[in-house]
Each structure stands twice: as structure tokens, then as C-alpha cells.
Amino acid sequence: MIENIASRTEVEAERNMLFRSLTLLTYAHLEGFCKFALLAYAGAVNALALSCRDAAFPVLAASLGDIFAALRNPNSKAPEFRTGLPDDQELHMLWRERTFVEAYEGILSRTVEIPDRVIDTKANLNSVVLKRNLYQLGLDYPAIDRHRGTIDRLLGVRNAIAHGDALRVPSADHVREYTAVAFEVMQFVQSGVFIALRDGAFRRVPSI
């Protein structure tokens, strides 16, 4: 509707305003849809109450963020050496690794629970951020590369407009390109989620 109104107006200032508005809306739809679709996928996987032992490795890794955070935490120290060797970082890392290995079987018996924080568009959804989110969930991501230039340009123009750059006015051709690519990327993400759920991509493939 906005694009149709912009094509009919003879007032340049009004047309520019509409093109700028359409660019902001296009980006908002792209970011919002991608985040919604990936959260829906994570929610669907969580609802299955899948054992970590049976989960695909990306899903398993996404579920163990708290475990990995504890493993990397430099303030978590071996009780036996907390006073005698308080600054021996290598020793304390060894203790955390040993604790992880000892608890591994129990970790695998946990139920998959992908936290919402795993899906993070950082309010700046460029091609790399989108690929990162798809990668973390084990979804197809290389195809995003063919749209990288347009996605990143859309974000750049959106940021310029949102931050008050009055001179950034996208052309009609650019607006059409942004809209077409945004819908194509959204369709790709949607299809990837449907296929992953249909084919059980979240489950670990038994080794032969």
C-alpha cells in the first residue's frame, strides 16, 4: 500500500518520506519474522522433551549454555586449591574440565531446553548475525550468502534513517530490491524451520 501511494504522489518530499518509511518497515518485518520463526523452532523442539543424549549436536550445544558458562568461568576454582594456589588458572581450568567430564553422563540425561537467549538478532540483523542464529540451531545457513549484500545494505540504510540521517533516501528500485529480498529470506527461514521439524533434524543421527 505504501509503495502504491509513493508511486502515485507527485510531491518529492512525500515520496521520499514514504520510501524511508517503507525501508524501516521492511527491515522490521525481516528481523521480527526471523526472530519469531527461530523462537518457534526452539519452542517446538523444547516441547518434545527430547533427551540430550538423543539430540543433534547443535541442539545439544544450544541447550548446555549454562554448563559451558560454568566451564569458562575463571572465578570457579577448585575447592582444594582455593587458598593454597588461588591464582593458578591452569589448575582451576583443569578442575572445571574434570568436573565437566565426571558429570557428562548426567548431563546427557537432561532434557533439551533451548533458552530464548540463544536466538539473538542484536537489533541489527545483518547477514552474519542471521547465519549465526541459523548455525546455532543446526539449520541451513549457507544460502544466506547470496543475499548478503542486500541484507547488509538494508540494515545500513535502516540504521541511517533511524538515527536521523535526513539525506538517506532509498530509490524506488532499492526499495523494491529490499522488499523482494526480505520476503525471499523470510520464506527461506520459514522453509528451513518446516523442513527441520518434518525431517527431525534436531535428533542425533545414530553412528554406524
Side-chain angles (χ1 to χ4, degrees), residues 30-103:
L30 177 62
E31 180 183 336
F33 179 85
C34 289
K35 187 169 186 177
F36 166 79
L38 298 180
L39 283 171
Y41 177 71
V45 173
N46 290 344
L48 295 172
L50 188 67
S51 166
C52 284
R53 191 181 303 278
D54 299 324
F57 292 122
V59 170
L60 173 60
S63 298
L64 300 183
D66 58 331
I67 300 293
F68 296 141
L71 188 62
R72 293 189 294 263
N73 182 6
N75 295 318
S76 182
K77 300 179 179 180
E80 303 90 333
F81 300 102
R82 209 170 264 166
T83 54
L85 297 168
D87 299 322
D88 192 334
Q89 293 301 316
E90 290 186 5
L91 175 63
H92 296 311
M93 184 65 198
L94 177 62
W95 171 76
R96 293 195 296 273
E97 291 172 346
R98 176 174 164 176
T99 301
F100 172 79
V101 171
E102 290 173 351

Side-chain angles (χ1 to χ4, degrees), residues 74-147:
N75 295 318
S76 182
K77 300 179 179 180
E80 303 90 333
F81 300 102
R82 209 170 264 166
T83 54
L85 297 168
D87 299 322
D88 192 334
Q89 293 301 316
E90 290 186 5
L91 175 63
H92 296 311
M93 184 65 198
L94 177 62
W95 171 76
R96 293 195 296 273
E97 291 172 346
R98 176 174 164 176
T99 301
F100 172 79
V101 171
E102 290 173 351
Y104 187 65
E105 286 301 317
I107 291 171
L108 289 182
S109 67
R110 288 174 36 164
T111 298
V112 164
E113 184 65 37
I114 304 172
D116 287 351
R117 66 175 180 275
V118 168
I119 294 90
D120 184 8
T121 60
K122 303 182 183 299
N124 276 283
L125 186 68
N126 59 28
S127 58
V128 173
V129 170
L130 179 54
K131 286 173 65 176
R132 178 177 181 267
N133 278 271
L134 293 169
Y135 174 79
Q136 285 188 116
L137 294 174
L139 299 173
D140 185 24
Y141 63 89
I144 295 298
D145 281 337
R146 73 172 180 267
H147 297 306

